[in-house]
Amino acid sequence: MVWSTDEVLEFLRRNTAASVAVALLGFPLACFALPVLAPLALAYYFLSQPQKPLAVPQEKAKGLVVDTDKSEEKNDLAAVKPVAEKKPSPSVAASAVVEGGSAPPLTGGVALLRKMREQKAARAKAENPDKKILVAFASQTGTAQEIAKALHAQIVEKTGTPKLAVLSAFNDVDVDSLKPDTFPVVAFVAASTGDGDPPDNTASFYAKMLRKKKEELKGVRYTCLGLGDSNYTRFMAVPRNMRKKFEGLGAECIYWNAEADEVDGLEETVEKWTEGALEAVLKEYRAATAGGSEAMASVEAAESKPPPKFKGLPALLPRRVTFSWQEGVDEGGQAIGVVLGGHHNAEGSYTQERPFLAKVKAARRVTPEGYGKQIVHMELSIDGSNIEYKPGDAFGVLPVNDPNLVDDLLQRLGADGSRVFEASEAVNSIRAPCSVRAALSRHCDLTTPAKKSLIRLLAESCDDVKEKDDLLLICSAEGKPRYKKEILEAQPNLLDLLRAYPSCRPKVEDLVEFLPALAPREYSVSSCPHAHGGSIHFAFSVVEFETGGGRTRRGVATNWLAGIADAVASGESCEVPIFPKPSKDFHHPEDAVRPVVMIGPGTGVSPFRGFVHHRKYLLSLQGGEGAVGESWLFFGCRERTKDAIYLDEFDAFVESGVLTTLDCAFSREQEEKVYVQDKMGESGTRLSNLILNEDAFIFVCGDGQHMAKDVHAKLEEILCEHGGLKRAAATAYLQIMQKQGRYVRDTWS
């Protein structure tokens, strides 16, 4: 039974006890409800004002609603919208019976709550749309990752929607998820490692993608920035292969696929691509989401904001990681953020995240004390690791920042290095829990010149307005000359910048998340398993130089390793975290029949020590029978008695006949400097014959910016002058040799 209002009032008038009960309960309820309901009612009033009530004829209440307001229509379609029938609640159904027709619209608190729920759902949809932009990277040293992070930050800043764009390494992307209904727009930055191999964080994705055959990316739009070094044989191999595969699978390019060559400098190309890619990506995303998705609504609002004080500022990197702090502290140095101790892999497949801890067996400085260029030879034990390698392979080393630099930085930040944190997601290869000191020592790059995005972050951490504006100017478009002079040329490290701007006090969490990762360093193996079983040998030059700003800079890894060498020489026991990096083509042929020409100045001769030891092993298998090709080494250094690394061994190999010819160029032993390419020119006829008529292999290792280019030019010259080829034919012949794996270069910049 349903009572009317009059019937309820009549019952209370006649029943004294009921009236008293209602009064006693109603008064406190009213006192409590009025302060709550009054603001809700006011909010409901304002929220409901923009909506015009529609006059719904009773005969159409259960079918179609005719939109009588046509002023906003932009097409000729009738504004007829189907209304889904909803089962009314019992209370609504009961009240509707009175009129004998349809249920009246909800009013009051119920309508307000429904309105608030709808608005919350719309905001959630806008912040986390079904279709997203993928910003991916294939990065070995961290450069491609930093560029991708900057582009992702600009998308977030432009849209005001943190979850619209996904930033990810390719290995963390499911190949099958690249569909128009999940990632309609993809922007990626890709680099190669080694001589055209995919970076570690892309290798599995790369292999799966290359196996795809159908047009599975049809409807996906993409743009790509490739990073490379033209000194390498397979320049831009990974980005070019990925672009080709994207389009082969049906994806469509929406913007310039740029290629930035490290030899010419990356900055200008990167800036141009990033600026244009941002506009292209947002435009295509609008189109992919029907031109006006809720997720893009804030773009127009952002564009209507007043212009910033400085033009061309990089976007603030959005926070993606949540840090939680443990109560205890890292007293024993165990929370180092990476698995080091006791890790053994049955297959010998160690990684940057899980390296092998190799004990240093021996180490010595090859050059005299006080000599300007220090060279160190080091031997690591790999017993029990199951690591297998060939001469010509490389391996990665996880370096550690200078402890004094870390201490000074912690003091400047006023931070406790022993505090231990957990992170909501992986950052800079850190495996939580990790202490602040360990993060800054092993995982964060503290010495590389700051990217503009990091300078923007530091600017926002300044209390002093003048200092903030100065940093903002440096990282803006108009401050480009200052950035070049004060950052790229002067090369201040993070501590230098913080000392130059005393009011700058970034949070430790921000630095751990946004500093570039401390990248592993790769070194060529100088040993041979058949001659040096259970160990890996390598050599390195200790890096120290003066910057344009008059600062002395020391290489992070080489100075750390040099310190270990000195400690080992004094009797200490030391270990180095390593992981293998096999080479694809840089290997001695598996017979001694084909001629081999090796060209390696300085520490570039290291892999050829392993080559010659391997050749000795191959000759022992032949037992003095069968044909033997020439083995020729061109070696260059400054002075025979100072930095001629492994020279005694090479001389012994010449005497035993393992090494046919040793040509040495000691650049500073005569008035006019002599280099390896000069020695090559002196034997042009013989070299030309080996290359053109005897299918010789040529291996080059060392500096890519100068030496490798000069050697390549000399090879072309020899083929022209002594082989009778035209310049174009000589160039083409060397390219064919590269594709055949007969001309392989292992260089660095």
Side-chain angles (χ1 to χ4, degrees), residues 62-380:
K62 296 182 181 180
L64 298 176
V65 176
V66 179
D67 190 349
T68 58
D69 186 0
K70 304 287 176 58
S71 62
E72 300 296 325
E73 286 186 8
K74 295 184 179 180
N75 53 53
D76 296 327
L77 297 176
V80 179
K81 310 167 192 173
V83 177
E85 292 187 350
K86 297 181 180 179
K87 185 177 180 180
S89 64
S91 59
V92 174
S95 62
V97 172
V98 178
E99 299 297 330
S102 61
L106 294 175
T107 59
V110 177
L112 177 59
L113 291 174
R114 174 174 290 182
K115 182 78 173 179
M116 293 172 68
R117 282 197 297 268
E118 291 174 350
Q119 290 176 338
K120 184 178 180 180
R123 284 196 301 271
K125 183 70 173 177
E127 293 173 358
N128 195 17
D130 295 329
K131 295 182 178 181
K132 299 183 180 182
I133 299 167
L134 174 62
V135 182
F137 54 87
S139 181
Q140 187 69 27
T141 63
T143 303
Q145 181 178 356
E146 290 301 311
I147 296 169
K149 282 168 63 176
L151 176 61
H152 175 261
Q154 291 188 52
I155 294 174
V156 172
E157 183 180 75
K158 195 78 169 176
T159 63
T161 310
K163 296 183 179 179
L164 182 146
V166 175
L167 175 68
S168 176
F170 269 114
N171 275 359
D172 296 326
V173 177
D174 182 2
V175 178
D176 296 327
S177 70
L178 290 180
K179 306 288 183 184
D181 54 351
T182 53
F183 294 118
V185 185
V186 179
F188 65 91
V189 186
S192 303
T193 186
D195 194 12
D197 300 322
D200 294 339
N201 60 20
T202 302
S204 61
F205 175 92
Y206 190 76
K208 292 176 184 176
M209 187 176 184
L210 292 183
R211 290 196 296 266
K212 296 278 185 181
K213 295 182 179 180
K214 299 179 181 179
E215 289 194 346
E216 298 182 30
L217 299 188
K218 192 172 183 62
V220 173
R221 269 65 171 169
Y222 86 97
T223 180
C224 164
L225 170 65
L227 306 181
D229 185 334
S230 56
N231 291 309
Y232 280 88
T233 306
R234 302 176 66 220
F235 176 60
M236 292 287 172
V238 169
R240 288 175 182 175
N241 287 342
M242 292 187 73
R243 294 199 311 258
K244 183 178 179 180
K245 194 63 181 179
F246 259 74
E247 294 184 6
L249 295 174
E252 181 182 340
C253 178
I254 58 172
Y255 181 62
W256 170 43
N257 284 325
E259 293 185 346
D261 187 351
E262 191 170 338
V263 172
D264 300 324
L266 304 177
E267 186 182 2
E268 186 174 349
T269 302
V270 169
E271 287 186 354
K272 288 181 180 178
W273 178 83
T274 304
E275 182 180 352
L278 175 65
E279 296 180 6
V281 163
L282 294 180
K283 178 181 177 181
E284 289 297 326
Y285 186 80
R286 281 196 190 94
T289 53
S293 72
E294 295 164 328
M296 290 295 292
S298 59
V299 176
E300 287 75 14
E303 291 173 345
S304 65
K305 292 180 181 179
K309 187 172 184 179
F310 300 98
K311 294 182 179 180
L313 284 175
L316 266 176
L317 296 172
R319 290 298 303 267
R320 300 170 60 233
V321 180
T322 301
F323 291 82
S324 57
W325 298 93
Q326 296 184 358
E327 293 185 5
V329 297
D330 177 31
E331 296 177 350
Q334 298 302 310
I336 57 176
V338 63
V339 176
L340 291 181
H343 174 54
H344 291 81
N345 186 285
E347 298 178 353
S349 55
Y350 299 90
T351 64
Q352 177 181 347
E353 289 73 25
R354 298 182 70 86
F356 175 72
L357 205 55
K359 183 178 179 179
V360 181
K361 292 176 61 176
R364 68 178 186 275
R365 290 184 182 258
V366 177
T367 45
E369 185 177 353
Y371 189 66
K373 183 181 181 182
Q374 289 291 301
I375 297 177
V376 177
H377 168 81
M378 186 171 285
E379 301 175 10
L380 306 176

Side-chain angles (χ1 to χ4, degrees), residues 572-593:
E572 293 185 33
S573 178
C574 300
E575 296 173 315
V576 176
I578 65 171
F579 56 97
K581 293 290 295 181
S583 175
K584 185 177 181 181
D585 299 314
F586 201 85
H587 294 133
H588 189 285
E590 286 304 315
D591 61 56
V593 177

Side-chain angles (χ1 to χ4, degrees), residues 569-635:
S570 64
E572 293 185 33
S573 178
C574 300
E575 296 173 315
V576 176
I578 65 171
F579 56 97
K581 293 290 295 181
S583 175
K584 185 177 181 181
D585 299 314
F586 201 85
H587 294 133
H588 189 285
E590 286 304 315
D591 61 56
V593 177
R594 301 276 290 278
V596 174
V597 178
M598 299 164 285
I599 306 164
T603 54
V605 80
S606 293
F608 301 135
R609 175 178 182 253
F611 275 35
V612 178
H613 276 286
H614 185 67
R615 184 176 182 84
K616 179 181 179 181
Y617 167 73
L618 294 174
L619 291 173
S620 70
L621 294 179
Q622 289 187 210
E625 299 179 359
V628 176
E630 287 198 50
S631 178
W632 196 344
L633 174 61
F634 289 93
F635 171 49

